[in-house]
Structures are given as structure tokens and as C-alpha cells.
Amino acid sequence: MHFESPIKRRQSRQIMVGNVPVGGDAPISVQSMTNTETTDVAATVGQIQRLEEAGVDIVRVSVPSMDAAEAFGAIKKQVSVPLVADIHFDYKIALAVAEQGVDCLRINPGNIGREDRIRAVVDCARDKNIPIRIGVNAGSLEKDLQKKYGEPTPEALMESAMRHVDILDKLDFQNFKLSLKASNVFMTVAAYRLIAAQIDNPLHLGVTEAGGLRSGTVKSAIALGSLLMEGIGDTLRISLAADPVEEVKVGFDILKSLGLRTKGINFIACPSCSRQNFDVISTVNALESRLEDIKTPLDVAIIGCVVNGPGEAKEAHIGLTGGSPNNLIFREGKPSHKVDNSDLIAELEKVIRAKAEEVDAEGGETPVKITLGA
Ligand code: SF4
């Protein structure tokens, strides 16, 4: 039932963030970041567990102090998802979290300062097989680049990124991924296009400070959607001024809509109109929240009347077409049984859960075919 994505992904080298491969032919991973005080271990662990339940692949935790580095170790012991430590420049914190079992260091080598300190961090990362994420951000571009370019531009972002890349190249360290974020959609897309043509390391996509739940989702979907459709991007984070769990949901929704991941239910629903034979909007909302725990990839079509119902149901694992006096449930594109409005949501939940169990018993997630471009 799932369509095969026509996207040809850029060929990147693969790194491992804990047990999650990033780059190469690995599925595009979805990341988020905690917004609790890292020193509040219980709150941070609780938030990471909620992110894990939502299906997150990798979680970033900011580590602004040595106290936070110590707390990071305690957090790491209580969660199973790989953790990235976000460090601005303090090499001692980087070395401390490396001892605590960090899965990736988010630190820009050019920000660390003295060469011996950079070398200490890189040697430690090499010894412990810890990847580094270089993260360039339009809001914190180096002063000389701001002067040279007058304002943040895609070229300025790339020049900044290449400075960090060159430092790692000189130390013969290739175990890194890179992000080049701006809050502007055009700048984000242009900057990633430039860097994608320059290096073969995995790229972490994101629009920084994208905005609130709705506006940030739209901005991220346009920028990341454009890049992903060109095959650019190996992992992503949707930066929202919202509950981090929403970032994970939006990230998966973008990947699902492009056929790049197949986690959970893909709802197909009509917007409804006066022809609807049941309340489409409340039915879809109720099903989305009741079935959030389902990770099995399923297409479910909820359509208010016969205008488009049977056609959409044919392409879905489970379909519902509104009718009077009864609505019709489809399984695997074929009419199955009728149900009236009073039983609708409970019956659909039952049928969808049964289908998910059936698919799981047959082997679970439908593998996504990854095509690598030239
Ligand atoms: S499928 Fe039917 S109910 Fe839904 S929007 Fe179209 S005409 Fe209206």
C-alpha cells in the first residue's frame, strides 16, 4: 500500500550515533532536544522517555556546565536512546561527557580555542569512537564573516562550516555530521545545497528558531521538504517553540509524506463538507489520539461520503466511506462490513489495531527502499 519514494538520496558516508546509523543508506533519523534543566535529572529523563515513546531516534541535551556534565552521566544510565551533548566551546565539558558515555558531541572545533584543546577533544572522540556534529547557525556567525559578507548569507554559512571541516580534516577526523541552520527558508535551502556539493559527510537538517507549532511546522516542511526531495539530508530536527514531542511528530510526518520513513499511521482524510455522513473531523481527531501508540506503518483513509471514499479506500490498509444509513469499512481495499455512526470510532479503532497486529506478525515496518544518487 505504501508508495515507493522516487527520491534519490545524496551519497554520504555513514557514521554511528550510538546504535543509530546516520548517512549512507540509513533511514533518515528524527531528533529532538530536551528543554528541561539538565541538572534536573528526573525531569530530563522523563522528557526523554516521552520522546522515546513518540519514536525519536536521537536526543540532544545541552550541557552548559560541569554540574550538567555530571547530571548527563546519570541521565545516560536511565535512557536507551542515543544522546548528543550540546557544548558550546568548553573542551573540559566535552572530555567529561565523553567519560560519561555520550553518543555524539555537538561542538564546533573552531570555537574550542587553543590547538592543544581541539586536539584533546578530537583525540578523545577518536579513541572512544564518538562522532562530532558541527553546527553552524546564521545567528552566531563569526564576526569577520559578518564583516566580509555584511549579513548572514548561504556563502557565509558555508565558509564558516568549512573552517570547522578543515580543522577536522587536518586532524584526519571524518567521523562527523554537519548542520547549517538559518531561520530563513531560502537561506537554509541554499546553504545546504552549497555544502552538499562540497563534502560527503552526513547532513543534519533543520530550520533554526523556526517558530511556534503551526508556523514552525510550515517553515520546516517547506525548507526540509525541498532539500529532502533533492536527496539532501540524513537526519533532522524540527525546532519548534512547543513541546519537543511535537518536533518528533512533525519530523516523522514530513518523512512519511515523502515516503522516506513508514512509522505509524498515515491518515488520509477528506476536509468534510455538507455531504459527509459522519463527523469526519472529530472522527479523525479521536482516532489520531487513540492510536498514537501504534508504530506499525498503515494507511488509513477516512472519507465522509461516496464521492472519494471507495477510491481512497482501495489504496489504504483500512478505509471508511460515509454512507446513509450506514458507513462502510474497507479492509485491504475491499468492502468489509457496515457500521453506524454510534459505533464508528470504537469499531475503527478495533479494526485498525487488528490490522496493525497482523502487519507486525508478518514482519513489522515495511522497509523503505532507499535509492542513492550519483
Ligand atoms: S469526500 Fe464527500 S464529504 Fe468529504 S469533502 Fe468530498 S464530498 Fe465532502
Side-chain angles (χ1 to χ4, degrees):
M1 297 271 158
H2 286 279
F3 73 97
E4 195 176 295
S5 176
I7 292 171
K8 284 191 172 45
R9 283 179 62 191
R10 157 184 168 267
Q11 280 188 326
S12 59
R13 63 173 80 208
Q14 192 170 85
I15 65 168
M16 293 298 294
V17 177
N19 59 0
V20 175
V22 176
D25 62 357
I28 296 171
S29 44
V30 174
Q31 308 200 22
S32 185
M33 185 168 181
T34 54
N35 60 11
T36 49
E37 284 287 339
T38 303
T39 47
D40 186 341
V41 173
T44 306
V45 167
Q47 192 171 62
I48 294 171
Q49 286 168 343
R50 286 179 59 234
L51 291 167
E52 285 185 285
E53 277 162 27
V56 77
D57 297 305
I58 297 167
V59 175
R60 182 155 52 115
V61 177
S62 54
V63 187
S65 64
M66 287 306 267
D67 282 350
E70 205 171 301
F72 184 90
I75 294 162
K76 178 74 187 136
K77 287 193 187 85
Q78 297 178 56
V79 300
S80 50
V81 69
L83 296 185
V84 181
D86 190 284
I87 298 150
H88 276 167
F89 51 81
D90 190 334
Y91 81 111
K92 285 192 197 136
I93 296 178
L95 297 177
V97 289
E99 290 304 320
Q100 307 275 15
V102 73
D103 298 294
C104 178
L105 291 167
R106 197 281 201 200
I107 189 166
N108 289 343
N111 297 354
I112 295 174
R114 285 187 356 221
E115 207 183 315
D116 57 329
R117 293 178 177 176
I118 299 172
R119 190 176 284 277
V121 172
V122 171
D123 284 350
C124 171
R126 196 190 330 267
D127 287 352
K128 296 185 183 297
N129 203 18
I130 301 168
I132 288 177
R133 175 183 146 208
I134 296 172
V136 170
N137 197 310
S140 52
L141 207 56
E142 293 92 327
K143 283 203 175 69
D144 65 313
L145 291 177
Q146 283 183 34
K147 208 169 161 193
K148 176 176 171 186
Y149 289 93
E151 58 183 1
T153 65
E155 291 75 18
L157 290 175
M158 189 173 86
E159 190 170 335
S160 173
M162 288 311 294
R163 288 179 179 178
H164 301 297
V165 170
D166 288 345
I167 292 170
L168 295 182
D169 271 350
K170 282 197 188 98
L171 295 171
D172 196 22
F173 187 89
Q174 288 301 324
N175 190 13
F176 69 89
K177 58 194 171 102
L178 188 144
S179 64
L180 264 185
K181 297 189 183 181
S183 57
N184 174 284
V185 168
F186 292 103
M187 199 184 310
T188 301
V189 172
Y192 275 105
R193 280 181 183 149
L194 287 175
I195 200 77
Q198 197 74 23
I199 61 172
D200 69 353
N201 304 83
L203 294 179
H204 167 123
L205 300 187
V207 174
T208 193
E209 294 120 22
L213 180 54
R214 189 181 62 201
S215 58
T217 296
V218 171
K219 241 186 251 178
S220 301
I222 294 171
L224 273 54
S226 302
L227 289 163
L228 290 165
M229 285 178 77
E230 293 174 20
I232 297 172
D234 302 287
T235 181
L236 57 82
R237 181 207 173 187
I238 311 299
S239 301
L240 298 176
D243 183 341
V245 168
E246 298 298 333
E247 300 187 345
V248 179
K249 291 184 193 170
V250 173
F252 274 109
D253 281 346
I254 291 174
L255 294 175
K256 281 194 291 186
S257 65
L258 294 172
L260 290 165
R261 290 287 294 263
T262 58
K263 211 182 205 97
I265 297 175
N266 173 36
F267 280 102
I268 297 118
C270 76
S272 80
C273 72
S274 66
R275 286 200 187 90
Q276 67 182 355
N277 292 104
F278 62 92
D279 186 336
V280 175
I281 294 173
S282 65
T283 304
V284 172
N285 286 342
L287 289 172
E288 275 189 344
S289 87
R290 283 187 184 211
L291 297 167
E292 254 184 7
D293 59 300
I294 291 195
K295 304 285 183 282
T296 316
L298 289 180
D299 289 331
V300 173
I302 307 291
I303 309 292
C305 78
V306 291
V307 171
N308 293 321
E312 289 292 354
K314 256 190 213 154
E315 305 298 322
H317 292 96
I318 301 293
L320 171 74
T321 295
S324 181
N326 285 312
N327 310 294
L328 183 58
I329 290 182
F330 291 73
R331 295 180 207 239
E332 296 290 340
K334 296 192 179 64
S336 167
H337 57 285
K338 292 190 171 169
V339 58
D340 72 26
N341 285 0
S342 60
D343 283 340
L344 198 54
I345 292 170
E347 179 61 17
L348 276 169
E349 180 177 356
K350 199 173 84 188
V351 171
I352 293 166
R353 286 194 183 279
K355 185 70 205 173
E357 276 172 30
E358 192 188 311
V359 171
D360 287 345
E362 285 165 5
E365 185 166 346
T366 316
V368 174
K369 194 170 171 240
I370 304 289
T371 313
L372 292 175

